[in-house]
Amino acid sequence: MIEYRFGDESDEESPEYDFASGGPIDSDLMWMRRAVNQARLAAEADEVPVGALIVRGGQVLGQAHNGREQLKDPTAHAEMIAITQAASAIEDWRLEGCTLYVTLEPCAMCAGAILLARIPRVVFGASDPKGGAVHSLYQLLTDPRQNHRCEVVPGVLGPQCGQLLTQFFAAKRAMGKK
């Protein structure tokens, strides 16, 4: 069974974000490294290596990695699990003032959940040309027709995040697995 955990007292504090700045800031790199660590845990569990965490005011409210295989749940994407954890942590479905860090560009399902949770800022690593719904195939989080839109910061630790996925799928192909 996958064990997901919330941040603990040892989590470093980060400065407040300047949402108008539009680009990665030092704390984005720090939090994205934590998301990469979650992705590594996914790979160790033979899951697609995607990791996510949700941060508000320097505190991790939720962190997770993909769990579709272990949970036998097609919705168990890292983002979905982290969103559920964060909402539970603050006892509110509105995740205002939060930033979602995720190692792979969110899919349509996760982008929809991000919008519904009112997460104002999303930072992702690798683009997903086949399934990305934030930047690559669709721009759901910035579509002006939506009631809610997000600031999107793409490509933070993108090469490192992409390399984890490339290595994972190369190993799967070498073993003859899906």
Side-chain angles (χ1 to χ4, degrees), residues 2-138:
I2 300 173
E3 182 179 327
Y4 298 104
R5 59 182 190 82
F6 296 104
D8 56 42
E9 290 74 37
S10 66
D11 288 338
E12 290 185 42
E13 292 291 318
S14 70
E16 290 299 313
Y17 295 113
D18 176 6
F19 287 90
S21 70
I25 54 179
D26 288 341
S27 59
D28 286 343
L29 294 171
M30 176 186 77
W31 296 121
M32 185 59 82
R33 285 184 189 103
R34 298 262 312 257
V36 168
N37 288 338
Q38 285 292 316
R40 287 188 179 115
L41 292 173
E44 290 171 12
D46 204 29
E47 296 280 356
V48 174
V50 177
L53 62 143
I54 296 177
V55 177
R56 182 169 74 180
Q59 179 182 8
V60 177
L61 300 177
Q63 61 183 350
H65 57 75
N66 274 2
R68 293 187 331 164
E69 298 299 327
Q70 288 187 341
L71 297 174
K72 309 295 185 232
D73 180 355
T75 68
H77 289 196
E79 303 96 307
M80 300 294 284
I81 297 167
I83 288 169
T84 299
Q85 290 176 346
S88 178
I90 64 169
E91 298 180 343
D92 193 349
W93 61 268
R94 294 172 194 87
L95 299 180
E96 295 167 343
C98 293
T99 298
L100 168 69
Y101 294 91
V102 61
T103 58
L104 180 65
E105 178 182 359
C107 69
M109 174 184 69
C110 294
I114 291 163
L115 290 170
L116 292 172
R118 306 291 193 263
I119 298 171
R121 188 165 187 265
V122 174
V123 178
F124 72 86
S127 294
D128 185 354
K130 294 183 179 181
V134 173
H135 178 74
S136 298
L137 293 178
Y138 309 103

